[in-house]
Amino acid sequence: INRLFSNIEKIVILTLILIFFFSLLVSIYHLGIEQEIFKESSICGLKNADEIISKEELLRQLNKQIISCKDVTFRIFGFSLTTINILISSFILFMLLKIISNYEKFKN
C-alpha cells in the first residue's frame, strides 16, 4: 500500500508540473501580446460564433469597437494579471521541480 501511495504522489506531482508549465507558457505568450512582441490572434475580439446568425449580425460585429487582448484593463501594484500569473506559475513550478528532484529524501 505504501508503494501505491508513492506512485500516486509522483503522478500527482508530475501532473501539477505539466499544468503549471503550460500555464507559464500561455502567460508568457499573453505577455508577449501585451508588449506587442507577438501579434494578437483574431480570436481576441470575436463574439461567440453561435450568436452570429446572419450576415448583417456579422457586419455589426466587425464594425464594433473591439477590446484588444493587448490592452491591460486591470493591474495590481502596476503589474498586469498576466505578469502576476508568470511569477506565481514560475514559483510553483520551481517548487514542484525541487520536490520531485528530492522526492526520495522526502519519502523517508
Side-chain angles (χ1 to χ4, degrees), residues 21-50:
F21 176 73
F22 286 116
S23 171
L24 181 63
L25 286 180
V26 170
S27 295
I28 289 171
Y29 175 70
H30 196 272
L31 183 66
I33 291 173
E34 286 179 2
Q35 301 299 318
E36 297 183 14
I37 296 170
F38 305 120
K39 185 178 179 184
E40 63 184 318
S41 81
S42 59
I43 201 164
C44 289
L46 291 180
K47 195 176 180 181
N48 188 355
D50 294 338

PDB file of all heavy atoms in Angstrom, residues 21-50:
ATOM      1  N   PHE A  21       3.542  24.285 -16.012  1.00  0.00           N
ATOM      2  CA  PHE A  21       4.415  24.566 -17.152  1.00  0.00           C
ATOM      3  C   PHE A  21       3.598  25.173 -18.293  1.00  0.00           C
ATOM      4  O   PHE A  21       3.991  26.183 -18.880  1.00  0.00           O
ATOM      5  CB  PHE A  21       5.128  23.285 -17.611  1.00  0.00           C
ATOM      6  CG  PHE A  21       5.969  23.488 -18.834  1.00  0.00           C
ATOM      7  CD1 PHE A  21       7.166  24.176 -18.754  1.00  0.00           C
ATOM      8  CD2 PHE A  21       5.554  22.985 -20.050  1.00  0.00           C
ATOM      9  CE1 PHE A  21       7.938  24.366 -19.888  1.00  0.00           C
ATOM     10  CE2 PHE A  21       6.322  23.170 -21.185  1.00  0.00           C
ATOM     11  CZ  PHE A  21       7.520  23.864 -21.102  1.00  0.00           C
ATOM     12  N   PHE A  22       2.446  24.570 -18.610  1.00  0.00           N
ATOM     13  CA  PHE A  22       1.604  25.115 -19.670  1.00  0.00           C
ATOM     14  C   PHE A  22       0.998  26.456 -19.275  1.00  0.00           C
ATOM     15  O   PHE A  22       0.845  27.346 -20.121  1.00  0.00           O
ATOM     16  CB  PHE A  22       0.529  24.110 -20.090  1.00  0.00           C
ATOM     17  CG  PHE A  22       1.074  22.982 -20.915  1.00  0.00           C
ATOM     18  CD1 PHE A  22       1.032  21.691 -20.444  1.00  0.00           C
ATOM     19  CD2 PHE A  22       1.660  23.219 -22.149  1.00  0.00           C
ATOM     20  CE1 PHE A  22       1.559  20.652 -21.198  1.00  0.00           C
ATOM     21  CE2 PHE A  22       2.185  22.186 -22.914  1.00  0.00           C
ATOM     22  CZ  PHE A  22       2.130  20.904 -22.436  1.00  0.00           C
ATOM     23  N   SER A  23       0.677  26.626 -18.017  1.00  0.00           N
ATOM     24  CA  SER A  23       0.201  27.928 -17.534  1.00  0.00           C
ATOM     25  C   SER A  23       1.267  28.996 -17.752  1.00  0.00           C
ATOM     26  O   SER A  23       0.970  30.111 -18.187  1.00  0.00           O
ATOM     27  CB  SER A  23      -0.158  27.835 -16.057  1.00  0.00           C
ATOM     28  OG  SER A  23      -0.430  29.103 -15.517  1.00  0.00           O
ATOM     29  N   LEU A  24       2.503  28.640 -17.466  1.00  0.00           N
ATOM     30  CA  LEU A  24       3.615  29.563 -17.664  1.00  0.00           C
ATOM     31  C   LEU A  24       3.782  29.903 -19.140  1.00  0.00           C
ATOM     32  O   LEU A  24       3.952  31.070 -19.504  1.00  0.00           O
ATOM     33  CB  LEU A  24       4.896  28.960 -17.093  1.00  0.00           C
ATOM     34  CG  LEU A  24       6.159  29.806 -17.185  1.00  0.00           C
ATOM     35  CD1 LEU A  24       6.003  31.090 -16.380  1.00  0.00           C
ATOM     36  CD2 LEU A  24       7.357  29.005 -16.678  1.00  0.00           C
ATOM     37  N   LEU A  25       3.701  28.898 -20.016  1.00  0.00           N
ATOM     38  CA  LEU A  25       3.844  29.144 -21.454  1.00  0.00           C
ATOM     39  C   LEU A  25       2.745  30.071 -21.989  1.00  0.00           C
ATOM     40  O   LEU A  25       3.024  31.011 -22.743  1.00  0.00           O
ATOM     41  CB  LEU A  25       3.820  27.821 -22.231  1.00  0.00           C
ATOM     42  CG  LEU A  25       5.042  26.942 -22.147  1.00  0.00           C
ATOM     43  CD1 LEU A  25       4.834  25.677 -22.978  1.00  0.00           C
ATOM     44  CD2 LEU A  25       6.284  27.676 -22.601  1.00  0.00           C
ATOM     45  N   VAL A  26       1.506  29.803 -21.602  1.00  0.00           N
ATOM     46  CA  VAL A  26       0.389  30.625 -22.066  1.00  0.00           C
ATOM     47  C   VAL A  26       0.526  32.054 -21.537  1.00  0.00           C
ATOM     48  O   VAL A  26       0.281  33.028 -22.262  1.00  0.00           O
ATOM     49  CB  VAL A  26      -0.963  30.002 -21.650  1.00  0.00           C
ATOM     50  CG1 VAL A  26      -2.114  30.951 -21.903  1.00  0.00           C
ATOM     51  CG2 VAL A  26      -1.189  28.691 -22.391  1.00  0.00           C
ATOM     52  N   SER A  27       0.953  32.196 -20.300  1.00  0.00           N
ATOM     53  CA  SER A  27       1.125  33.529 -19.722  1.00  0.00           C
ATOM     54  C   SER A  27       2.241  34.302 -20.416  1.00  0.00           C
ATOM     55  O   SER A  27       2.119  35.507 -20.650  1.00  0.00           O
ATOM     56  CB  SER A  27       1.418  33.431 -18.227  1.00  0.00           C
ATOM     57  OG  SER A  27       0.317  32.895 -17.554  1.00  0.00           O
ATOM     58  N   ILE A  28       3.320  33.620 -20.744  1.00  0.00           N
ATOM     59  CA  ILE A  28       4.419  34.283 -21.455  1.00  0.00           C
ATOM     60  C   ILE A  28       3.951  34.717 -22.842  1.00  0.00           C
ATOM     61  O   ILE A  28       4.259  35.826 -23.290  1.00  0.00           O
ATOM     62  CB  ILE A  28       5.653  33.356 -21.526  1.00  0.00           C
ATOM     63  CG1 ILE A  28       6.279  33.226 -20.141  1.00  0.00           C
ATOM     64  CG2 ILE A  28       6.681  33.877 -22.531  1.00  0.00           C
ATOM     65  CD1 ILE A  28       7.367  32.178 -20.039  1.00  0.00           C
ATOM     66  N   TYR A  29       3.191  33.865 -23.503  1.00  0.00           N
ATOM     67  CA  TYR A  29       2.646  34.233 -24.813  1.00  0.00           C
ATOM     68  C   TYR A  29       1.730  35.452 -24.683  1.00  0.00           C
ATOM     69  O   TYR A  29       1.805  36.389 -25.477  1.00  0.00           O
ATOM     70  CB  TYR A  29       1.885  33.043 -25.412  1.00  0.00           C
ATOM     71  CG  TYR A  29       1.183  33.375 -26.712  1.00  0.00           C
ATOM     72  CD1 TYR A  29       1.909  33.611 -27.871  1.00  0.00           C
ATOM     73  CD2 TYR A  29      -0.205  33.467 -26.769  1.00  0.00           C
ATOM     74  CE1 TYR A  29       1.270  33.923 -29.056  1.00  0.00           C
ATOM     75  CE2 TYR A  29      -0.842  33.785 -27.947  1.00  0.00           C
ATOM     76  CZ  TYR A  29      -0.108  34.009 -29.092  1.00  0.00           C
ATOM     77  OH  TYR A  29      -0.746  34.329 -30.258  1.00  0.00           O
ATOM     78  N   HIS A  30       0.867  35.451 -23.670  1.00  0.00           N
ATOM     79  CA  HIS A  30      -0.048  36.587 -23.486  1.00  0.00           C
ATOM     80  C   HIS A  30       0.716  37.857 -23.135  1.00  0.00           C
ATOM     81  O   HIS A  30       0.357  38.943 -23.590  1.00  0.00           O
ATOM     82  CB  HIS A  30      -1.091  36.268 -22.410  1.00  0.00           C
ATOM     83  CG  HIS A  30      -2.250  37.205 -22.459  1.00  0.00           C
ATOM     84  ND1 HIS A  30      -2.255  38.397 -21.774  1.00  0.00           N
ATOM     85  CD2 HIS A  30      -3.427  37.132 -23.118  1.00  0.00           C
ATOM     86  CE1 HIS A  30      -3.397  39.023 -22.007  1.00  0.00           C
ATOM     87  NE2 HIS A  30      -4.116  38.274 -22.823  1.00  0.00           N
ATOM     88  N   LEU A  31       1.773  37.741 -22.338  1.00  0.00           N
ATOM     89  CA  LEU A  31       2.596  38.914 -22.041  1.00  0.00           C
ATOM     90  C   LEU A  31       3.246  39.433 -23.320  1.00  0.00           C
ATOM     91  O   LEU A  31       3.353  40.647 -23.519  1.00  0.00           O
ATOM     92  CB  LEU A  31       3.670  38.573 -21.005  1.00  0.00           C
ATOM     93  CG  LEU A  31       4.551  39.742 -20.564  1.00  0.00           C
ATOM     94  CD1 LEU A  31       3.727  40.782 -19.813  1.00  0.00           C
ATOM     95  CD2 LEU A  31       5.693  39.246 -19.705  1.00  0.00           C
ATOM     96  N   GLY A  32       3.659  38.525 -24.204  1.00  0.00           N
ATOM     97  CA  GLY A  32       4.207  38.926 -25.497  1.00  0.00           C
ATOM     98  C   GLY A  32       3.191  39.689 -26.324  1.00  0.00           C
ATOM     99  O   GLY A  32       3.532  40.642 -27.026  1.00  0.00           O
ATOM    100  N   ILE A  33       1.925  39.305 -26.234  1.00  0.00           N
ATOM    101  CA  ILE A  33       0.864  40.051 -26.926  1.00  0.00           C
ATOM    102  C   ILE A  33       0.694  41.425 -26.291  1.00  0.00           C
ATOM    103  O   ILE A  33       0.585  42.433 -26.985  1.00  0.00           O
ATOM    104  CB  ILE A  33      -0.463  39.263 -26.907  1.00  0.00           C
ATOM    105  CG1 ILE A  33      -0.353  38.026 -27.794  1.00  0.00           C
ATOM    106  CG2 ILE A  33      -1.624  40.133 -27.359  1.00  0.00           C
ATOM    107  CD1 ILE A  33      -1.542  37.093 -27.712  1.00  0.00           C
ATOM    108  N   GLU A  34       0.686  41.482 -24.955  1.00  0.00           N
ATOM    109  CA  GLU A  34       0.553  42.767 -24.257  1.00  0.00           C
ATOM    110  C   GLU A  34       1.693  43.717 -24.619  1.00  0.00           C
ATOM    111  O   GLU A  34       1.484  44.916 -24.771  1.00  0.00           O
ATOM    112  CB  GLU A  34       0.549  42.559 -22.742  1.00  0.00           C
ATOM    113  CG  GLU A  34      -0.723  41.985 -22.192  1.00  0.00           C
ATOM    114  CD  GLU A  34      -0.656  41.778 -20.685  1.00  0.00           C
ATOM    115  OE1 GLU A  34       0.379  42.111 -20.064  1.00  0.00           O
ATOM    116  OE2 GLU A  34      -1.646  41.275 -20.135  1.00  0.00           O
ATOM    117  N   GLN A  35       2.902  43.186 -24.747  1.00  0.00           N
ATOM    118  CA  GLN A  35       4.079  44.008 -25.044  1.00  0.00           C
ATOM    119  C   GLN A  35       4.286  44.187 -26.547  1.00  0.00           C
ATOM    120  O   GLN A  35       5.286  44.772 -26.962  1.00  0.00           O
ATOM    121  CB  GLN A  35       5.327  43.375 -24.418  1.00  0.00           C
ATOM    122  CG  GLN A  35       5.242  43.215 -22.923  1.00  0.00           C
ATOM    123  CD  GLN A  35       5.084  44.536 -22.209  1.00  0.00           C
ATOM    124  OE1 GLN A  35       5.729  45.514 -22.561  1.00  0.00           O
ATOM    125  NE2 GLN A  35       4.222  44.576 -21.212  1.00  0.00           N
ATOM    126  N   GLU A  36       3.361  43.663 -27.349  1.00  0.00           N
ATOM    127  CA  GLU A  36       3.384  43.739 -28.806  1.00  0.00           C
ATOM    128  C   GLU A  36       4.601  43.052 -29.410  1.00  0.00           C
ATOM    129  O   GLU A  36       5.111  43.446 -30.457  1.00  0.00           O
ATOM    130  CB  GLU A  36       3.251  45.183 -29.276  1.00  0.00           C
ATOM    131  CG  GLU A  36       1.925  45.802 -28.863  1.00  0.00           C
ATOM    132  CD  GLU A  36       1.729  47.212 -29.372  1.00  0.00           C
ATOM    133  OE1 GLU A  36       2.485  47.646 -30.262  1.00  0.00           O
ATOM    134  OE2 GLU A  36       0.814  47.877 -28.872  1.00  0.00           O
ATOM    135  N   ILE A  37       5.088  42.003 -28.738  1.00  0.00           N
ATOM    136  CA  ILE A  37       6.150  41.162 -29.300  1.00  0.00           C
ATOM    137  C   ILE A  37       5.526  40.188 -30.292  1.00  0.00           C
ATOM    138  O   ILE A  37       6.081  39.931 -31.351  1.00  0.00           O
ATOM    139  CB  ILE A  37       6.894  40.404 -28.177  1.00  0.00           C
ATOM    140  CG1 ILE A  37       7.594  41.406 -27.267  1.00  0.00           C
ATOM    141  CG2 ILE A  37       7.873  39.393 -28.756  1.00  0.00           C
ATOM    142  CD1 ILE A  37       8.156  40.797 -25.995  1.00  0.00           C
ATOM    143  N   PHE A  38       4.350  39.664 -29.932  1.00  0.00           N
ATOM    144  CA  PHE A  38       3.603  38.770 -30.801  1.00  0.00           C
ATOM    145  C   PHE A  38       2.357  39.489 -31.283  1.00  0.00           C
ATOM    146  O   PHE A  38       1.797  40.326 -30.565  1.00  0.00           O
ATOM    147  CB  PHE A  38       3.159  37.501 -30.065  1.00  0.00           C
ATOM    148  CG  PHE A  38       4.271  36.745 -29.404  1.00  0.00           C
ATOM    149  CD1 PHE A  38       4.262  36.536 -28.044  1.00  0.00           C
ATOM    150  CD2 PHE A  38       5.327  36.252 -30.143  1.00  0.00           C
ATOM    151  CE1 PHE A  38       5.276  35.831 -27.431  1.00  0.00           C
ATOM    152  CE2 PHE A  38       6.346  35.549 -29.537  1.00  0.00           C
ATOM    153  CZ  PHE A  38       6.327  35.344 -28.171  1.00  0.00           C
ATOM    154  N   LYS A  39       1.919  39.141 -32.476  1.00  0.00           N
ATOM    155  CA  LYS A  39       0.676  39.696 -32.990  1.00  0.00           C
ATOM    156  C   LYS A  39      -0.485  38.940 -32.359  1.00  0.00           C
ATOM    157  O   LYS A  39      -0.467  37.712 -32.272  1.00  0.00           O
ATOM    158  CB  LYS A  39       0.647  39.548 -34.508  1.00  0.00           C
ATOM    159  CG  LYS A  39      -0.542  40.200 -35.142  1.00  0.00           C
ATOM    160  CD  LYS A  39      -0.481  40.063 -36.646  1.00  0.00           C
ATOM    161  CE  LYS A  39      -1.726  40.721 -37.221  1.00  0.00           C
ATOM    162  NZ  LYS A  39      -1.815  40.567 -38.649  1.00  0.00           N
ATOM    163  N   GLU A  40      -1.495  39.681 -31.913  1.00  0.00           N
ATOM    164  CA  GLU A  40      -2.638  39.012 -31.289  1.00  0.00           C
ATOM    165  C   GLU A  40      -3.457  38.289 -32.343  1.00  0.00           C
ATOM    166  O   GLU A  40      -3.527  38.688 -33.489  1.00  0.00           O
ATOM    167  CB  GLU A  40      -3.500  40.010 -30.527  1.00  0.00           C
ATOM    168  CG  GLU A  40      -4.145  41.075 -31.374  1.00  0.00           C
ATOM    169  CD  GLU A  40      -4.910  42.082 -30.553  1.00  0.00           C
ATOM    170  OE1 GLU A  40      -5.601  41.680 -29.609  1.00  0.00           O
ATOM    171  OE2 GLU A  40      -4.815  43.264 -30.855  1.00  0.00           O
ATOM    172  N   SER A  41      -4.051  37.197 -31.933  1.00  0.00           N
ATOM    173  CA  SER A  41      -4.848  36.420 -32.879  1.00  0.00           C
ATOM    174  C   SER A  41      -6.210  37.078 -33.045  1.00  0.00           C
ATOM    175  O   SER A  41      -6.648  37.872 -32.214  1.00  0.00           O
ATOM    176  CB  SER A  41      -4.986  34.975 -32.406  1.00  0.00           C
ATOM    177  OG  SER A  41      -5.983  34.865 -31.437  1.00  0.00           O
ATOM    178  N   SER A  42      -6.874  36.719 -34.104  1.00  0.00           N
ATOM    179  CA  SER A  42      -8.184  37.322 -34.379  1.00  0.00           C
ATOM    180  C   SER A  42      -9.251  36.856 -33.401  1.00  0.00           C
ATOM    181  O   SER A  42     -10.303  37.463 -33.295  1.00  0.00           O
ATOM    182  CB  SER A  42      -8.611  36.998 -35.804  1.00  0.00           C
ATOM    183  OG  SER A  42      -8.683  35.600 -35.968  1.00  0.00           O
ATOM    184  N   ILE A  43      -8.975  35.813 -32.662  1.00  0.00           N
ATOM    185  CA  ILE A  43      -9.962  35.285 -31.728  1.00  0.00           C
ATOM    186  C   ILE A  43     -10.166  36.220 -30.530  1.00  0.00           C
ATOM    187  O   ILE A  43     -11.166  36.133 -29.835  1.00  0.00           O
ATOM    188  CB  ILE A  43      -9.571  33.872 -31.272  1.00  0.00           C
ATOM    189  CG1 ILE A  43     -10.781  33.131 -30.742  1.00  0.00           C
ATOM    190  CG2 ILE A  43      -8.498  33.917 -30.211  1.00  0.00           C
ATOM    191  CD1 ILE A  43     -10.568  31.658 -30.637  1.00  0.00           C
ATOM    192  N   CYS A  44      -9.222  37.123 -30.294  1.00  0.00           N
ATOM    193  CA  CYS A  44      -9.307  38.012 -29.137  1.00  0.00           C
ATOM    194  C   CYS A  44     -10.566  38.870 -29.151  1.00  0.00           C
ATOM    195  O   CYS A  44     -11.121  39.164 -28.111  1.00  0.00           O
ATOM    196  CB  CYS A  44      -8.081  38.917 -29.062  1.00  0.00           C
ATOM    197  SG  CYS A  44      -6.593  38.043 -28.594  1.00  0.00           S
ATOM    198  N   GLY A  45     -11.034  39.285 -30.296  1.00  0.00           N
ATOM    199  CA  GLY A  45     -12.162  40.186 -30.336  1.00  0.00           C
ATOM    200  C   GLY A  45     -13.441  39.592 -30.862  1.00  0.00           C
ATOM    201  O   GLY A  45     -14.441  40.287 -30.975  1.00  0.00           O
ATOM    202  N   LEU A  46     -13.442  38.338 -31.202  1.00  0.00           N
ATOM    203  CA  LEU A  46     -14.636  37.744 -31.790  1.00  0.00           C
ATOM    204  C   LEU A  46     -15.656  37.354 -30.738  1.00  0.00           C
ATOM    205  O   LEU A  46     -15.320  36.903 -29.663  1.00  0.00           O
ATOM    206  CB  LEU A  46     -14.262  36.508 -32.605  1.00  0.00           C
ATOM    207  CG  LEU A  46     -13.487  36.754 -33.879  1.00  0.00           C
ATOM    208  CD1 LEU A  46     -13.195  35.431 -34.566  1.00  0.00           C
ATOM    209  CD2 LEU A  46     -14.225  37.675 -34.814  1.00  0.00           C
ATOM    210  N   LYS A  47     -16.893  37.547 -31.099  1.00  0.00           N
ATOM    211  CA  LYS A  47     -18.000  37.123 -30.261  1.00  0.00           C
ATOM    212  C   LYS A  47     -18.250  35.643 -30.517  1.00  0.00           C
ATOM    213  O   LYS A  47     -17.757  35.081 -31.489  1.00  0.00           O
ATOM    214  CB  LYS A  47     -19.230  37.951 -30.646  1.00  0.00           C
ATOM    215  CG  LYS A  47     -20.370  37.915 -29.682  1.00  0.00           C
ATOM    216  CD  LYS A  47     -21.452  38.860 -30.154  1.00  0.00           C
ATOM    217  CE  LYS A  47     -22.608  38.845 -29.199  1.00  0.00           C
ATOM    218  NZ  LYS A  47     -23.681  39.725 -29.633  1.00  0.00           N
ATOM    219  N   ASN A  48     -19.022  35.012 -29.679  1.00  0.00           N
ATOM    220  CA  ASN A  48     -19.359  33.611 -29.858  1.00  0.00           C
ATOM    221  C   ASN A  48     -19.986  33.401 -31.230  1.00  0.00           C
ATOM    222  O   ASN A  48     -20.960  34.048 -31.584  1.00  0.00           O
ATOM    223  CB  ASN A  48     -20.327  33.174 -28.756  1.00  0.00           C
ATOM    224  CG  ASN A  48     -20.566  31.692 -28.760  1.00  0.00           C
ATOM    225  OD1 ASN A  48     -20.101  30.966 -29.630  1.00  0.00           O
ATOM    226  ND2 ASN A  48     -21.318  31.236 -27.777  1.00  0.00           N
ATOM    227  N   ALA A  49     -19.447  32.499 -32.015  1.00  0.00           N
ATOM    228  CA  ALA A  49     -19.906  32.276 -33.385  1.00  0.00           C
ATOM    229  C   ALA A  49     -21.350  31.787 -33.437  1.00  0.00           C
ATOM    230  O   ALA A  49     -22.033  32.003 -34.433  1.00  0.00           O
ATOM    231  CB  ALA A  49     -18.986  31.288 -34.086  1.00  0.00           C
ATOM    232  N   ASP A  50     -21.816  31.146 -32.377  1.00  0.00           N
ATOM    233  CA  ASP A  50     -23.197  30.660 -32.355  1.00  0.00           C
ATOM    234  C   ASP A  50     -24.206  31.805 -32.332  1.00  0.00           C
ATOM    235  O   ASP A  50     -25.350  31.641 -32.738  1.00  0.00           O
ATOM    236  CB  ASP A  50     -23.438  29.769 -31.134  1.00  0.00           C
ATOM    237  CG  ASP A  50     -22.633  28.490 -31.189  1.00  0.00           C
ATOM    238  OD1 ASP A  50     -22.228  28.095 -32.303  1.00  0.00           O
ATOM    239  OD2 ASP A  50     -22.399  27.900 -30.123  1.00  0.00           O
TER     240      ASP A  50
END
